[in-house]
Short mmCIF file of all heavy atoms in Angstrom, two decimals:
data_model
loop_
_atom_site.label_atom_id
_atom_site.label_comp_id
_atom_site.label_asym_id
_atom_site.label_seq_id
_atom_site.Cartn_x
_atom_site.Cartn_y
_atom_site.Cartn_z
N VAL X 880 134.95 65.07 140.86
CA VAL X 880 135.81 65.57 139.79
C VAL X 880 137.09 66.11 140.41
O VAL X 880 137.08 66.60 141.55
CB VAL X 880 135.08 66.65 138.96
CG1 VAL X 880 134.73 67.85 139.82
CG2 VAL X 880 135.87 67.04 137.74
N GLN X 881 138.19 66.02 139.67
CA GLN X 881 139.45 66.54 140.15
C GLN X 881 139.49 68.06 140.00
O GLN X 881 138.80 68.64 139.15
CB GLN X 881 140.60 65.92 139.37
CG GLN X 881 140.80 64.44 139.63
CD GLN X 881 142.05 63.90 138.96
OE1 GLN X 881 142.59 64.49 138.03
NE2 GLN X 881 142.51 62.75 139.43
N PRO X 882 140.29 68.72 140.82
CA PRO X 882 140.47 70.17 140.66
C PRO X 882 140.87 70.51 139.22
O PRO X 882 141.71 69.83 138.63
CB PRO X 882 141.58 70.50 141.65
CG PRO X 882 141.45 69.46 142.71
CD PRO X 882 141.05 68.20 141.99
N GLY X 883 140.25 71.56 138.71
CA GLY X 883 140.49 71.95 137.33
C GLY X 883 139.54 71.32 136.34
O GLY X 883 139.50 71.71 135.16
N GLY X 884 138.76 70.36 136.79
CA GLY X 884 137.83 69.66 135.92
C GLY X 884 136.53 70.42 135.72
O GLY X 884 136.36 71.54 136.21
N SER X 885 135.62 69.77 134.99
CA SER X 885 134.34 70.38 134.63
C SER X 885 133.18 69.44 134.91
O SER X 885 133.34 68.21 134.88
CB SER X 885 134.32 70.74 133.14
OG SER X 885 135.31 71.68 132.81
N LEU X 886 132.04 70.02 135.18
CA LEU X 886 130.77 69.31 135.30
C LEU X 886 129.67 70.19 134.75
O LEU X 886 129.78 71.42 134.82
CB LEU X 886 130.46 68.96 136.76
CG LEU X 886 131.15 67.79 137.42
CD1 LEU X 886 130.78 67.74 138.91
CD2 LEU X 886 130.80 66.48 136.74
N LYS X 887 128.62 69.54 134.26
CA LYS X 887 127.43 70.29 133.85
C LYS X 887 126.24 69.76 134.62
O LYS X 887 125.88 68.58 134.51
CB LYS X 887 127.19 70.17 132.35
CG LYS X 887 126.04 71.05 131.87
CD LYS X 887 125.90 71.03 130.37
CE LYS X 887 124.82 71.97 129.87
NZ LYS X 887 124.70 72.00 128.40
N LEU X 888 125.62 70.64 135.40
CA LEU X 888 124.44 70.29 136.16
C LEU X 888 123.19 70.61 135.35
O LEU X 888 123.17 71.57 134.57
CB LEU X 888 124.40 71.05 137.47
CG LEU X 888 125.64 70.94 138.37
CD1 LEU X 888 125.39 71.69 139.68
CD2 LEU X 888 126.01 69.51 138.61
N SER X 889 122.15 69.80 135.56
CA SER X 889 120.87 70.02 134.90
C SER X 889 119.77 70.08 135.93
O SER X 889 119.85 69.44 136.98
CB SER X 889 120.58 68.88 133.92
OG SER X 889 121.56 68.78 132.92
N CYS X 890 118.73 70.82 135.61
CA CYS X 890 117.57 70.93 136.49
C CYS X 890 116.32 70.88 135.63
O CYS X 890 116.14 71.73 134.74
CB CYS X 890 117.63 72.22 137.28
SG CYS X 890 116.14 72.58 138.23
N ALA X 891 115.48 69.90 135.88
CA ALA X 891 114.20 69.77 135.20
C ALA X 891 113.12 70.34 136.09
O ALA X 891 113.02 69.98 137.27
CB ALA X 891 113.91 68.31 134.89
N ALA X 892 112.32 71.25 135.54
CA ALA X 892 111.31 71.94 136.34
C ALA X 892 109.92 71.71 135.77
O ALA X 892 109.73 71.64 134.56
CB ALA X 892 111.61 73.43 136.37
N SER X 893 108.95 71.63 136.64
CA SER X 893 107.56 71.53 136.18
C SER X 893 107.11 72.89 135.66
O SER X 893 107.73 73.92 135.94
CB SER X 893 106.66 71.07 137.32
OG SER X 893 106.77 71.94 138.42
N ARG X 894 106.02 72.87 134.91
CA ARG X 894 105.58 74.08 134.23
C ARG X 894 105.29 75.22 135.19
O ARG X 894 105.69 76.35 134.97
CB ARG X 894 104.32 73.78 133.41
CG ARG X 894 103.85 74.95 132.54
CD ARG X 894 102.57 74.58 131.81
NE ARG X 894 102.74 73.38 131.00
CZ ARG X 894 103.22 73.40 129.76
NH1 ARG X 894 103.59 74.54 129.20
NH2 ARG X 894 103.35 72.28 129.08
N ILE X 895 104.63 74.91 136.29
CA ILE X 895 104.26 75.97 137.23
C ILE X 895 105.48 76.59 137.87
O ILE X 895 105.51 77.76 138.23
CB ILE X 895 103.27 75.43 138.29
CG1 ILE X 895 102.62 76.57 139.06
CG2 ILE X 895 103.97 74.45 139.24
CD1 ILE X 895 101.48 76.14 139.97
N ILE X 896 106.53 75.78 138.04
CA ILE X 896 107.78 76.27 138.62
C ILE X 896 108.51 77.17 137.64
O ILE X 896 109.09 78.19 138.00
CB ILE X 896 108.69 75.09 138.99
CG1 ILE X 896 108.21 74.43 140.29
CG2 ILE X 896 110.14 75.52 139.10
CD1 ILE X 896 108.79 74.99 141.54
N PHE X 897 108.52 76.78 136.36
CA PHE X 897 109.43 77.36 135.38
C PHE X 897 108.85 78.56 134.65
O PHE X 897 109.58 79.50 134.32
CB PHE X 897 109.81 76.27 134.37
CG PHE X 897 110.94 76.66 133.46
CD1 PHE X 897 112.25 76.43 133.83
CD2 PHE X 897 110.69 77.22 132.21
CE1 PHE X 897 113.30 76.77 132.98
CE2 PHE X 897 111.73 77.56 131.37
CZ PHE X 897 113.04 77.33 131.75
N SER X 898 107.55 78.56 134.41
CA SER X 898 106.96 79.58 133.54
C SER X 898 107.17 80.99 134.07
O SER X 898 106.85 81.27 135.22
CB SER X 898 105.46 79.33 133.39
OG SER X 898 105.22 78.17 132.68
N ALA X 899 107.71 81.82 133.22
CA ALA X 899 107.88 83.25 133.51
C ALA X 899 108.63 83.48 134.81
O ALA X 899 108.34 84.44 135.55
CB ALA X 899 106.54 83.96 133.54
N ALA X 900 109.57 82.60 135.13
CA ALA X 900 110.29 82.72 136.40
C ALA X 900 111.78 82.89 136.18
O ALA X 900 112.37 82.20 135.34
CB ALA X 900 110.06 81.48 137.25
N ASP X 901 112.36 83.80 136.95
CA ASP X 901 113.81 83.79 137.06
C ASP X 901 114.21 82.50 137.76
O ASP X 901 113.56 82.08 138.73
CB ASP X 901 114.31 84.98 137.86
CG ASP X 901 114.03 86.31 137.19
OD1 ASP X 901 113.61 86.30 136.00
OD2 ASP X 901 114.21 87.35 137.84
N MET X 902 115.29 81.88 137.28
CA MET X 902 115.75 80.62 137.87
C MET X 902 117.14 80.82 138.46
O MET X 902 117.93 81.63 137.95
CB MET X 902 115.77 79.51 136.82
CG MET X 902 114.39 79.17 136.26
SD MET X 902 113.24 78.49 137.48
CE MET X 902 114.04 76.93 137.88
N ARG X 903 117.41 80.06 139.51
CA ARG X 903 118.67 80.25 140.23
C ARG X 903 119.32 78.91 140.53
O ARG X 903 118.62 77.90 140.67
CB ARG X 903 118.41 80.97 141.56
CG ARG X 903 117.58 82.22 141.42
CD ARG X 903 116.71 82.41 142.64
NE ARG X 903 116.02 83.68 142.64
CZ ARG X 903 115.09 84.01 143.53
NH1 ARG X 903 114.76 83.17 144.48
NH2 ARG X 903 114.50 85.17 143.46
N TRP X 904 120.62 78.93 140.69
CA TRP X 904 121.36 77.81 141.29
C TRP X 904 121.93 78.28 142.62
O TRP X 904 122.52 79.37 142.70
CB TRP X 904 122.50 77.35 140.38
CG TRP X 904 122.07 76.49 139.25
CD1 TRP X 904 121.86 76.87 137.95
CD2 TRP X 904 121.80 75.09 139.29
NE1 TRP X 904 121.48 75.80 137.19
CE2 TRP X 904 121.44 74.68 137.99
CE3 TRP X 904 121.84 74.11 140.29
CZ2 TRP X 904 121.10 73.37 137.67
CZ3 TRP X 904 121.51 72.80 139.98
CH2 TRP X 904 121.16 72.45 138.68
N TYR X 905 121.73 77.46 143.63
CA TYR X 905 122.30 77.67 144.95
C TYR X 905 123.23 76.49 145.26
O TYR X 905 123.16 75.44 144.63
CB TYR X 905 121.21 77.69 146.02
CG TYR X 905 120.40 78.94 146.12
CD1 TYR X 905 119.35 79.18 145.23
CD2 TYR X 905 120.63 79.88 147.11
CE1 TYR X 905 118.58 80.33 145.33
CE2 TYR X 905 119.85 81.03 147.22
CZ TYR X 905 118.83 81.24 146.33
OH TYR X 905 118.07 82.37 146.43
N ARG X 906 124.04 76.66 146.27
CA ARG X 906 124.84 75.54 146.78
C ARG X 906 124.97 75.66 148.30
O ARG X 906 124.88 76.75 148.86
CB ARG X 906 126.22 75.49 146.14
CG ARG X 906 127.14 76.66 146.48
CD ARG X 906 128.43 76.58 145.67
NE ARG X 906 129.33 77.69 145.94
CZ ARG X 906 130.45 77.91 145.27
NH1 ARG X 906 130.82 77.10 144.28
NH2 ARG X 906 131.21 78.95 145.58
N GLN X 907 125.15 74.50 148.91
CA GLN X 907 125.34 74.46 150.35
C GLN X 907 126.46 73.48 150.68
O GLN X 907 126.34 72.27 150.43
CB GLN X 907 124.06 74.05 151.08
CG GLN X 907 124.15 74.16 152.58
CD GLN X 907 122.80 74.09 153.26
OE1 GLN X 907 121.83 73.58 152.70
NE2 GLN X 907 122.73 74.62 154.47
N ALA X 908 127.54 74.02 151.24
CA ALA X 908 128.67 73.21 151.66
C ALA X 908 128.43 72.76 153.10
O ALA X 908 127.68 73.40 153.85
CB ALA X 908 129.95 74.01 151.55
N PRO X 909 129.08 71.67 153.51
CA PRO X 909 128.89 71.18 154.89
C PRO X 909 129.20 72.26 155.92
O PRO X 909 130.24 72.92 155.85
CB PRO X 909 129.89 70.03 154.99
CG PRO X 909 130.07 69.57 153.59
CD PRO X 909 129.96 70.79 152.73
#
């Protein structure tokens, strides 16, 4: 995407991962 643009990320989780859990997004640059 160009600077100033937008993206929407999605994450599908299994039940054991998702239930009653705080969820986070992380990132790792080179």
Side-chain angles (χ1 to χ4, degrees):
V880 62
Q881 292 186 341
S885 299
L886 282 174
K887 186 174 184 178
L888 306 184
S889 300
C890 172
S893 57
R894 186 183 303 275
I895 193 171
I896 283 271
F897 191 87
S898 292
D901 295 350
M902 296 296 294
R903 310 147 173 172
W904 281 99
Y905 284 79
R906 67 186 179 187
Q907 187 166 21

